[in-house]
Amino acid sequence: MEQFSTISVSDAFLRLQQGEATLVDIRDVQSFHSGHAPEAIHLTDASLNRFMQETEFNHPIFVMCYHGISSRGAAQYLVHQGFEQVYSIEGGFESWARHYPQQVVTS
């Protein structure tokens, strides 16, 4: 994969429930702590190196932002770093919270 793909919230939810992917949330600290998907890793500039060292490059990565726009740039960046299967979640966290309010936790 030379470019990221997009994935619907429902498909992302299903694949995450099956343990088939890793979810990263790139929103700011306050937004992440106010609510995020339970399995989400908060990916920031500070956590990027560790994430890259601990994550297999052939394992699917789902990128979540606020509305599904910023995640595209982050997804493409991860592709350029060598990750082979990277997906931007359509609609971002807003869509996730609307479709799966029971799957939102706070920190």
Side-chain angles (χ1 to χ4, degrees), residues 3-48:
Q3 187 169 343
F4 72 93
S5 296
T6 57
I7 189 168
S8 70
V9 171
S10 57
D11 287 344
F13 179 79
L14 179 62
R15 290 187 61 188
L16 288 166
Q17 294 299 304
Q18 296 171 345
E20 295 180 4
T22 297
L23 174 63
V24 297
D25 188 324
I26 63 165
R27 295 175 302 138
D28 68 87
V29 174
Q30 290 174 322
S31 297
F32 183 81
H33 288 301
S34 293
H36 58 272
E39 56 276 292
I41 296 169
H42 192 215
L43 189 62
T44 64
D45 289 340
S47 64
L48 180 61

Side-chain angles (χ1 to χ4, degrees), residues 45-94:
D45 289 340
S47 64
L48 180 61
N49 282 337
R50 183 176 180 181
F51 174 78
M52 291 180 63
Q53 292 172 353
E54 296 176 352
T55 306
E56 297 292 327
F57 282 91
N58 63 351
H59 185 72
I61 307 296
F62 296 164
V63 184
M64 179 182 286
C65 65
Y66 301 95
H67 306 289
I69 306 299
S70 299
S71 58
R72 295 175 187 173
Q76 190 62 49
Y77 175 81
L78 292 173
V79 168
H80 286 299
Q81 298 310 303
F83 288 96
E84 299 169 10
Q85 300 179 61
V86 184
Y87 301 84
S88 171
I89 296 179
E90 295 173 345
F93 181 76
E94 292 287 324

